[in-house]
Short mmCIF file of all heavy atoms in Angstrom, two decimals:
data_model
loop_
_atom_site.label_atom_id
_atom_site.label_comp_id
_atom_site.label_asym_id
_atom_site.label_seq_id
_atom_site.Cartn_x
_atom_site.Cartn_y
_atom_site.Cartn_z
N PRO A 1 72.73 5.25 18.75
CA PRO A 1 72.50 4.02 19.52
C PRO A 1 71.48 3.09 18.89
O PRO A 1 71.65 1.87 18.93
CB PRO A 1 72.01 4.55 20.87
CG PRO A 1 72.57 5.94 20.96
CD PRO A 1 72.57 6.47 19.56
N HIS A 2 70.43 3.64 18.29
CA HIS A 2 69.42 2.75 17.71
C HIS A 2 69.96 2.01 16.49
O HIS A 2 69.57 0.87 16.21
CB HIS A 2 68.16 3.54 17.34
CG HIS A 2 68.36 4.47 16.17
ND1 HIS A 2 68.98 5.71 16.29
CD2 HIS A 2 68.04 4.32 14.85
CE1 HIS A 2 69.01 6.30 15.10
NE2 HIS A 2 68.46 5.48 14.22
N VAL A 3 70.92 2.63 15.75
CA VAL A 3 71.53 1.95 14.60
C VAL A 3 72.44 0.82 15.08
O VAL A 3 72.45 -0.29 14.53
CB VAL A 3 72.30 2.96 13.73
CG1 VAL A 3 73.03 2.24 12.61
CG2 VAL A 3 71.36 4.01 13.17
N LEU A 4 73.22 1.10 16.12
CA LEU A 4 74.08 0.06 16.68
C LEU A 4 73.25 -1.11 17.21
O LEU A 4 73.62 -2.28 17.03
CB LEU A 4 74.94 0.64 17.80
CG LEU A 4 75.98 1.68 17.38
CD1 LEU A 4 76.68 2.26 18.60
CD2 LEU A 4 77.01 1.07 16.42
N ARG A 5 72.14 -0.81 17.85
CA ARG A 5 71.28 -1.86 18.38
C ARG A 5 70.69 -2.69 17.25
O ARG A 5 70.59 -3.92 17.35
CB ARG A 5 70.17 -1.24 19.23
CG ARG A 5 69.31 -2.28 19.95
CD ARG A 5 68.41 -1.63 21.00
NE ARG A 5 67.62 -0.54 20.45
CZ ARG A 5 67.85 0.74 20.67
NH1 ARG A 5 68.89 1.11 21.42
NH2 ARG A 5 67.07 1.69 20.14
N TYR A 6 70.32 -2.06 16.17
CA TYR A 6 69.78 -2.79 15.02
C TYR A 6 70.84 -3.71 14.41
O TYR A 6 70.55 -4.86 14.04
CB TYR A 6 69.28 -1.80 13.97
CG TYR A 6 68.84 -2.47 12.68
CD1 TYR A 6 67.60 -3.11 12.59
CD2 TYR A 6 69.68 -2.47 11.57
CE1 TYR A 6 67.21 -3.73 11.42
CE2 TYR A 6 69.29 -3.08 10.39
CZ TYR A 6 68.05 -3.71 10.32
OH TYR A 6 67.68 -4.33 9.16
N GLN A 7 72.09 -3.22 14.30
CA GLN A 7 73.16 -4.05 13.75
C GLN A 7 73.41 -5.28 14.63
O GLN A 7 73.62 -6.38 14.12
CB GLN A 7 74.44 -3.23 13.61
CG GLN A 7 74.39 -2.18 12.50
CD GLN A 7 75.70 -1.42 12.39
OE1 GLN A 7 76.53 -1.45 13.29
NE2 GLN A 7 75.87 -0.73 11.27
N GLN A 8 73.39 -5.11 15.94
CA GLN A 8 73.60 -6.23 16.84
C GLN A 8 72.47 -7.26 16.72
O GLN A 8 72.71 -8.46 16.70
CB GLN A 8 73.70 -5.73 18.28
CG GLN A 8 74.96 -4.89 18.55
CD GLN A 8 74.97 -4.31 19.96
OE1 GLN A 8 74.00 -4.44 20.70
NE2 GLN A 8 76.07 -3.66 20.31
N GLU A 9 71.23 -6.77 16.62
CA GLU A 9 70.11 -7.70 16.46
C GLU A 9 70.19 -8.42 15.13
O GLU A 9 69.86 -9.61 15.04
CB GLU A 9 68.78 -6.93 16.57
CG GLU A 9 68.52 -6.35 17.96
CD GLU A 9 67.26 -5.54 17.99
OE1 GLU A 9 66.64 -5.34 16.90
OE2 GLU A 9 66.86 -5.07 19.08
N TYR A 10 70.63 -7.73 14.08
CA TYR A 10 70.74 -8.35 12.76
C TYR A 10 71.79 -9.46 12.77
O TYR A 10 71.58 -10.54 12.22
CB TYR A 10 71.11 -7.26 11.74
CG TYR A 10 71.21 -7.76 10.32
CD1 TYR A 10 70.06 -8.03 9.57
CD2 TYR A 10 72.46 -7.96 9.73
CE1 TYR A 10 70.15 -8.47 8.27
CE2 TYR A 10 72.55 -8.41 8.43
CZ TYR A 10 71.40 -8.67 7.70
OH TYR A 10 71.50 -9.12 6.42
N LYS A 11 72.94 -9.20 13.42
CA LYS A 11 73.99 -10.22 13.52
C LYS A 11 73.51 -11.41 14.34
O LYS A 11 73.80 -12.56 14.02
CB LYS A 11 75.24 -9.62 14.15
CG LYS A 11 75.96 -8.61 13.26
CD LYS A 11 77.19 -8.04 13.96
CE LYS A 11 77.90 -7.03 13.08
NZ LYS A 11 79.10 -6.46 13.77
N ALA A 12 72.76 -11.14 15.40
CA ALA A 12 72.25 -12.23 16.24
C ALA A 12 71.27 -13.11 15.46
O ALA A 12 71.30 -14.34 15.55
CB ALA A 12 71.59 -11.67 17.49
N ARG A 13 70.39 -12.47 14.65
CA ARG A 13 69.44 -13.26 13.85
C ARG A 13 70.17 -14.10 12.80
O ARG A 13 69.83 -15.25 12.57
CB ARG A 13 68.44 -12.32 13.17
CG ARG A 13 67.40 -11.74 14.12
CD ARG A 13 66.21 -11.20 13.35
NE ARG A 13 66.59 -10.14 12.43
CZ ARG A 13 66.59 -8.85 12.72
NH1 ARG A 13 66.23 -8.46 13.94
NH2 ARG A 13 66.95 -7.95 11.83
N ASN A 14 71.20 -13.54 12.17
CA ASN A 14 71.96 -14.30 11.18
C ASN A 14 72.67 -15.48 11.83
O ASN A 14 72.75 -16.58 11.26
CB ASN A 14 72.99 -13.39 10.50
CG ASN A 14 72.33 -12.43 9.50
OD1 ASN A 14 71.19 -12.64 9.12
ND2 ASN A 14 73.06 -11.42 9.09
N ARG A 15 73.21 -15.27 13.03
CA ARG A 15 73.89 -16.36 13.72
C ARG A 15 72.91 -17.47 14.10
O ARG A 15 73.20 -18.65 13.94
CB ARG A 15 74.58 -15.81 14.97
CG ARG A 15 75.53 -16.81 15.64
CD ARG A 15 76.18 -16.21 16.87
NE ARG A 15 76.90 -14.99 16.58
CZ ARG A 15 76.51 -13.78 16.96
NH1 ARG A 15 75.39 -13.64 17.66
NH2 ARG A 15 77.23 -12.72 16.66
N ALA A 16 71.73 -17.09 14.57
CA ALA A 16 70.73 -18.09 14.92
C ALA A 16 70.26 -18.86 13.69
O ALA A 16 70.07 -20.08 13.74
CB ALA A 16 69.54 -17.41 15.61
N LEU A 17 70.10 -18.16 12.56
CA LEU A 17 69.70 -18.82 11.33
C LEU A 17 70.76 -19.81 10.86
O LEU A 17 70.45 -20.91 10.39
CB LEU A 17 69.44 -17.77 10.25
CG LEU A 17 69.03 -18.31 8.86
CD1 LEU A 17 67.73 -19.10 8.97
CD2 LEU A 17 68.89 -17.17 7.87
N LEU A 18 72.03 -19.45 11.01
CA LEU A 18 73.12 -20.33 10.63
C LEU A 18 73.12 -21.60 11.48
O LEU A 18 73.26 -22.72 10.97
CB LEU A 18 74.46 -19.61 10.76
CG LEU A 18 75.73 -20.44 10.48
CD1 LEU A 18 75.73 -20.95 9.05
CD2 LEU A 18 76.98 -19.61 10.76
N TYR A 19 72.93 -21.44 12.79
CA TYR A 19 72.88 -22.60 13.68
C TYR A 19 71.70 -23.51 13.34
O TYR A 19 71.82 -24.74 13.33
CB TYR A 19 72.79 -22.14 15.14
CG TYR A 19 74.02 -21.45 15.66
CD1 TYR A 19 73.96 -20.59 16.75
CD2 TYR A 19 75.27 -21.65 15.06
CE1 TYR A 19 75.10 -19.95 17.24
CE2 TYR A 19 76.41 -21.02 15.53
CZ TYR A 19 76.32 -20.16 16.62
OH TYR A 19 77.45 -19.54 17.09
N TYR A 20 70.56 -22.90 13.08
CA TYR A 20 69.36 -23.68 12.78
C TYR A 20 69.54 -24.46 11.48
O TYR A 20 69.22 -25.65 11.40
CB TYR A 20 68.15 -22.76 12.69
CG TYR A 20 66.88 -23.44 12.27
CD1 TYR A 20 66.14 -24.21 13.16
CD2 TYR A 20 66.42 -23.33 10.95
CE1 TYR A 20 64.98 -24.84 12.77
CE2 TYR A 20 65.26 -23.97 10.55
CZ TYR A 20 64.54 -24.72 11.46
OH TYR A 20 63.40 -25.36 11.06
N THR A 21 70.07 -23.80 10.44
CA THR A 21 70.27 -24.46 9.16
C THR A 21 71.26 -25.60 9.28
O THR A 21 71.07 -26.69 8.73
CB THR A 21 70.76 -23.45 8.12
OG1 THR A 21 69.83 -22.36 8.04
CG2 THR A 21 70.88 -24.09 6.75
N THR A 22 72.35 -25.37 10.02
CA THR A 22 73.35 -26.43 10.21
C THR A 22 72.76 -27.62 10.94
O THR A 22 73.02 -28.78 10.59
CB THR A 22 74.56 -25.87 11.00
OG1 THR A 22 75.10 -24.75 10.31
CG2 THR A 22 75.63 -26.94 11.16
N ALA A 23 71.93 -27.35 11.97
CA ALA A 23 71.31 -28.44 12.72
C ALA A 23 70.37 -29.26 11.84
O ALA A 23 70.34 -30.49 11.92
CB ALA A 23 70.55 -27.87 13.93
N VAL A 24 69.60 -28.57 10.97
CA VAL A 24 68.68 -29.28 10.09
C VAL A 24 69.45 -30.16 9.10
O VAL A 24 69.09 -31.32 8.86
CB VAL A 24 67.78 -28.28 9.34
CG1 VAL A 24 66.99 -28.98 8.24
CG2 VAL A 24 66.84 -27.59 10.31
N ILE A 25 70.54 -29.64 8.54
CA ILE A 25 71.33 -30.41 7.58
C ILE A 25 71.93 -31.65 8.25
O ILE A 25 71.91 -32.75 7.71
CB ILE A 25 72.44 -29.53 6.98
CG1 ILE A 25 71.81 -28.43 6.11
CG2 ILE A 25 73.41 -30.35 6.15
CD1 ILE A 25 72.81 -27.42 5.58
N LEU A 26 72.46 -31.46 9.46
CA LEU A 26 73.05 -32.60 10.18
C LEU A 26 71.99 -33.63 10.54
O LEU A 26 72.24 -34.84 10.45
CB LEU A 26 73.76 -32.10 11.45
CG LEU A 26 75.01 -31.24 11.23
CD1 LEU A 26 75.56 -30.75 12.56
CD2 LEU A 26 76.09 -32.04 10.48
N PHE A 27 70.80 -33.17 10.93
CA PHE A 27 69.74 -34.11 11.29
C PHE A 27 69.27 -34.91 10.09
O PHE A 27 69.13 -36.13 10.16
CB PHE A 27 68.57 -33.34 11.90
CG PHE A 27 67.37 -34.21 12.18
CD1 PHE A 27 67.34 -35.03 13.30
CD2 PHE A 27 66.28 -34.20 11.32
CE1 PHE A 27 66.23 -35.83 13.55
CE2 PHE A 27 65.18 -35.00 11.57
CZ PHE A 27 65.17 -35.82 12.69
N VAL A 28 69.06 -34.24 8.96
CA VAL A 28 68.60 -34.94 7.76
C VAL A 28 69.66 -35.92 7.27
O VAL A 28 69.37 -37.06 6.90
CB VAL A 28 68.23 -33.92 6.66
CG1 VAL A 28 67.91 -34.64 5.36
CG2 VAL A 28 67.05 -33.07 7.10
N GLY A 29 70.92 -35.47 7.28
CA GLY A 29 71.99 -36.37 6.85
C GLY A 29 72.13 -37.57 7.76
O GLY A 29 72.30 -38.71 7.30
N GLY A 30 72.04 -37.34 9.08
CA GLY A 30 72.13 -38.45 10.01
C GLY A 30 70.96 -39.40 9.90
O GLY A 30 71.12 -40.62 10.00
N ALA A 31 69.76 -38.85 9.67
CA ALA A 31 68.59 -39.71 9.54
C ALA A 31 68.67 -40.59 8.30
O ALA A 31 68.34 -41.78 8.33
CB ALA A 31 67.32 -38.85 9.50
N SER A 32 69.11 -40.02 7.17
CA SER A 32 69.25 -40.82 5.95
C SER A 32 70.34 -41.86 6.08
O SER A 32 70.24 -42.97 5.57
CB SER A 32 69.55 -39.89 4.76
OG SER A 32 70.77 -39.21 4.97
N TYR A 33 71.40 -41.52 6.82
CA TYR A 33 72.49 -42.46 7.02
C TYR A 33 72.06 -43.63 7.90
O TYR A 33 72.41 -44.78 7.66
CB TYR A 33 73.68 -41.74 7.66
CG TYR A 33 74.76 -42.65 8.21
CD1 TYR A 33 75.69 -43.24 7.37
CD2 TYR A 33 74.83 -42.93 9.57
CE1 TYR A 33 76.68 -44.06 7.86
CE2 TYR A 33 75.81 -43.75 10.08
CZ TYR A 33 76.73 -44.32 9.21
OH TYR A 33 77.70 -45.14 9.72
N ALA A 34 71.24 -43.35 8.92
CA ALA A 34 70.87 -44.37 9.90
C ALA A 34 69.56 -45.07 9.58
O ALA A 34 69.16 -45.97 10.32
CB ALA A 34 70.79 -43.75 11.30
N ALA A 35 68.88 -44.70 8.50
CA ALA A 35 67.56 -45.25 8.23
C ALA A 35 67.60 -46.76 8.06
O ALA A 35 66.84 -47.50 8.69
CB ALA A 35 66.96 -44.58 6.99
N VAL A 36 68.50 -47.24 7.18
CA VAL A 36 68.57 -48.68 6.92
C VAL A 36 69.07 -49.44 8.14
O VAL A 36 68.46 -50.45 8.53
CB VAL A 36 69.46 -48.95 5.68
CG1 VAL A 36 69.64 -50.45 5.48
CG2 VAL A 36 68.83 -48.32 4.45
N PRO A 37 70.17 -49.05 8.81
CA PRO A 37 70.58 -49.78 10.02
C PRO A 37 69.52 -49.79 11.11
O PRO A 37 69.34 -50.80 11.80
CB PRO A 37 71.84 -49.01 10.47
CG PRO A 37 72.37 -48.38 9.24
CD PRO A 37 71.16 -48.02 8.45
N MET A 38 68.80 -48.67 11.28
CA MET A 38 67.75 -48.63 12.30
C MET A 38 66.60 -49.57 11.95
O MET A 38 66.04 -50.23 12.82
CB MET A 38 67.24 -47.20 12.47
CG MET A 38 68.22 -46.26 13.14
SD MET A 38 67.60 -44.57 13.27
CE MET A 38 66.17 -44.82 14.31
N TYR A 39 66.28 -49.64 10.66
CA TYR A 39 65.21 -50.53 10.24
C TYR A 39 65.60 -51.99 10.49
O TYR A 39 64.81 -52.80 10.97
CB TYR A 39 64.90 -50.30 8.76
CG TYR A 39 63.86 -51.24 8.19
CD1 TYR A 39 62.53 -51.14 8.58
CD2 TYR A 39 64.21 -52.23 7.27
CE1 TYR A 39 61.56 -51.99 8.06
CE2 TYR A 39 63.25 -53.08 6.75
CZ TYR A 39 61.94 -52.96 7.14
OH TYR A 39 60.99 -53.81 6.63
N ARG A 40 66.85 -52.32 10.17
CA ARG A 40 67.31 -53.69 10.39
C ARG A 40 67.41 -54.00 11.88
O ARG A 40 67.12 -55.12 12.32
CB ARG A 40 68.68 -53.89 9.73
CG ARG A 40 68.58 -53.88 8.19
CD ARG A 40 69.94 -53.96 7.55
NE ARG A 40 69.82 -53.98 6.09
CZ ARG A 40 70.85 -53.89 5.27
NH1 ARG A 40 72.08 -53.78 5.75
NH2 ARG A 40 70.66 -53.93 3.96
N ALA A 41 67.83 -53.01 12.68
CA ALA A 41 67.87 -53.23 14.13
C ALA A 41 66.47 -53.44 14.69
O ALA A 41 66.25 -54.27 15.59
CB ALA A 41 68.55 -52.05 14.81
N PHE A 42 65.50 -52.70 14.14
CA PHE A 42 64.10 -52.87 14.56
C PHE A 42 63.62 -54.27 14.24
O PHE A 42 62.98 -54.94 15.07
CB PHE A 42 63.23 -51.82 13.88
CG PHE A 42 61.76 -52.09 13.99
CD1 PHE A 42 61.08 -51.81 15.17
CD2 PHE A 42 61.05 -52.62 12.93
CE1 PHE A 42 59.71 -52.07 15.28
CE2 PHE A 42 59.69 -52.88 13.03
CZ PHE A 42 59.02 -52.60 14.21
#
């Protein structure tokens, strides 16, 4: 049981890391894309 529990926690950490990395990439890409239009709108 302790090995199965470790595997489940390992998969959960990898999934959370994937979500976090994807969110950071999307945020940086969106910020660079919108920087000039936002500046002109300002």
Side-chain angles (χ1 to χ4, degrees):
H2 70 280
V3 175
L4 294 175
R5 186 168 53 254
Y6 174 78
Q7 289 182 343
Q8 293 175 354
E9 294 177 354
Y10 182 76
K11 291 179 180 179
R13 286 198 300 268
N14 286 344
R15 190 180 303 109
L17 179 61
L18 176 62
Y19 292 158
Y20 175 78
T21 304
T22 303
V24 170
I25 294 174
L26 292 177
F27 174 78
V28 174
S32 62
Y33 167 79
V36 175
M38 289 178 62
Y39 177 69
R40 291 176 178 172
F42 167 78

